[in-house]
Amino acid sequence: MTGKLRIHSPAIHYFDMVRRCNSIREAARRLNVASSAVNRQILKLEDEIGAPLFDRLPAGLRLTPAGEILTRHITVVLQDVERVRSELDAMQGLRTGHVEIATVEGVTIDLLPRVLKAMHERYPRVTIGVTAMGSQAIPEAVLSGAADLGLAFFLPRSAELQQLSVGHFRLGAIVPRGHPLASLHEVSFAACVEHGLILAKRELSIHHLLGPLQKRMSLADRPVLESSSVELARQLVKRGMGVAFQTRIGIEADLEAGDLVHLPLTDNGGIFNDLGLYVRGGRYLPVAVDALARQLTEEITLREREERPQPRSTSGNRP
């Protein structure tokens, strides 16, 4: 099938676009209709519900409590329409569809590009949108319907989110080749403090994992940089500006080239950052979304397996 499946009132689609754009004019432009037509549908919905759906502010429109309630309902409705469209396409032997994924920056370096390449080769007619954001913002993107899938580190358990898969990855210090710590196999957080720190801001999961260790250390007289970008932290490490912390995901090429060294942290017996794949709880996944979820799950499982230390063979184990 081509185009979007329209089996509900235009008011639903118009409302959804207005709440995404926070503007009737911009929503009308994207829908390719007159602003007056969009405004009439919004007013009609407000009249039927008996309450305003948007606060009209100088900076744009903002959902009212009634608008937020309607948003939750419409999100489910529109996602179910996508499921129906996907199933109809599958009946015709097609593999079309669109998937939106909200993800953390680290996986966009190597893990996600590999998965997207495999998806494109297998389902060339499936389109995919990717938005990078901090882990803490991803649940809202999934629950609001802005994203079909969320790929994030260290999310708390929630009844509203369903975890499709998870991989456990060791958090470690990253230092450049030739750094005084580079010859070690693992390291404590305290040892890293002596060489200057590049820490994650609170929107990143690493900030919350290292929080207890930071509280135990006196960092007032220590040089500390903070960043919400793991890519910036990586570049600062390569320039000798301090020690940063992350998993091996996102620095694969530097590790293979020998430009960076990843030293697992020894504190608390090791600190793990869980990379999980999430959807809205109870949602039936359209074909395209399910296909991408399966590809991501396979890649996460493979990388977790590769990171596990291999058992050493002994002379008595083989004939």
Side-chain angles (χ1 to χ4, degrees):
M1 297 180 68
T2 58
K4 288 186 176 294
L5 189 64
R6 301 280 186 177
I7 58 176
H8 292 286
S9 164
I12 289 180
H13 299 281
Y14 288 10
F15 171 83
D16 184 61
M17 186 60 73
V18 171
R19 67 103 181 169
R20 290 175 183 273
C21 299
N22 297 316
S23 164
I24 288 178
R25 180 177 297 178
E26 177 59 20
R29 187 188 69 80
R30 295 191 188 186
L31 291 165
N32 196 29
V33 297
S35 296
S36 58
V38 176
N39 191 50
R40 280 197 302 272
Q41 293 294 339
I42 298 300
L43 291 174
K44 180 181 176 182
L45 278 175
E46 290 181 329
D47 183 60
E48 291 178 357
I49 291 172
L53 299 174
F54 295 97
D55 287 325
R56 275 69 172 175
L57 305 173
L61 301 182
R62 185 179 64 188
L63 285 170
T64 63
E68 291 175 355
I69 292 172
L70 184 61
T71 293
R72 290 195 289 271
H73 167 70
I74 286 180
T75 296
V76 174
V77 169
L78 293 180
Q79 287 182 340
D80 200 53
V81 169
E82 174 63 18
R83 175 187 64 79
V84 172
R85 187 199 65 78
S86 179
E87 290 180 349
L88 291 172
D89 283 349
M91 283 178 59
Q92 299 178 41
L94 302 177
R95 287 294 182 267
T96 60
H98 180 76
V99 187
E100 283 289 335
I101 179 170
T103 186
V104 290
E105 182 186 16
V107 304
T108 65
I109 308 300
D110 186 81
L111 187 154
L112 191 57
R114 288 179 183 269
V115 170
L116 295 184
K117 182 175 186 295
M119 272 290 294
H120 180 69
E121 291 172 349
R122 189 171 182 182
Y123 304 104
R125 298 181 64 182
V126 171
T127 58
I128 299 173
V130 180
T131 302
M133 58 182 67
S135 282
Q136 306 306 305
I138 287 177
E140 176 57 29
V142 174
L143 295 176
S144 69
D148 299 293
L149 296 170
L151 185 60
F153 283 105
F154 194 59
L155 289 189
R157 291 299 181 96
S158 167
E160 297 177 293
L161 285 179
Q162 178 185 352
Q163 187 183 77
L164 298 179
S165 60
V166 65
H168 310 287
F169 299 94
R170 190 86 179 264
L171 188 66
I174 56 172
V175 297
R177 177 174 51 189
H179 189 275
L181 298 176
S183 61
L184 302 176
H185 295 294
E186 53 187 12
V187 71
S188 68
F189 184 77
C192 298
V193 172
E194 302 299 323
H195 300 276
L197 301 178
I198 302 169
L199 298 176
K201 287 195 169 184
R202 67 177 303 106
E203 52 262 43
L204 301 185
S205 61
I206 299 169
H207 172 90
H208 302 279
L209 287 168
L210 295 181
L213 299 180
Q214 294 178 48
K215 288 180 180 179
R216 293 204 297 262
M217 303 294 300
S218 176
L219 303 179
D221 59 344
R222 307 287 186 178
V224 173
L225 287 164
E226 288 187 316
S227 172
S228 61
S229 167
V230 294
E231 174 61 19
L232 175 59
R234 183 176 72 93
Q235 293 296 338
L236 294 176
V237 168
K238 294 176 76 170
R239 286 161 175 75
M241 296 184 65
V243 180
F245 304 89
Q246 63 183 88
T247 67
R248 297 172 68 91
I249 292 176
I251 56 173
E252 295 91 346
D254 287 313
L255 294 176
E256 186 174 348
D259 295 330
L260 292 179
V261 178
H262 182 266
L263 306 170
L265 289 173
T266 58
D267 303 85
N268 303 322
I271 300 175
F272 288 83
N273 207 0
D274 292 346
L275 178 62
L277 180 63
Y278 301 89
V279 295
R280 181 174 55 79
R283 184 185 177 190
Y284 184 99
L285 299 186
V287 174
V289 176
D290 182 67
L292 180 55
R294 290 177 185 274
Q295 292 283 133
L296 285 166
T297 295
E298 289 177 7
E299 186 67 21
I300 292 170
T301 301
L302 175 64
R303 295 196 176 217
E304 182 187 36
R305 187 182 304 125
E306 289 176 344
E307 185 168 300
R308 293 174 190 161
Q310 298 298 315
R312 296 181 180 179
S313 62
T314 62
S315 58
N317 286 342
R318 296 187 180 182

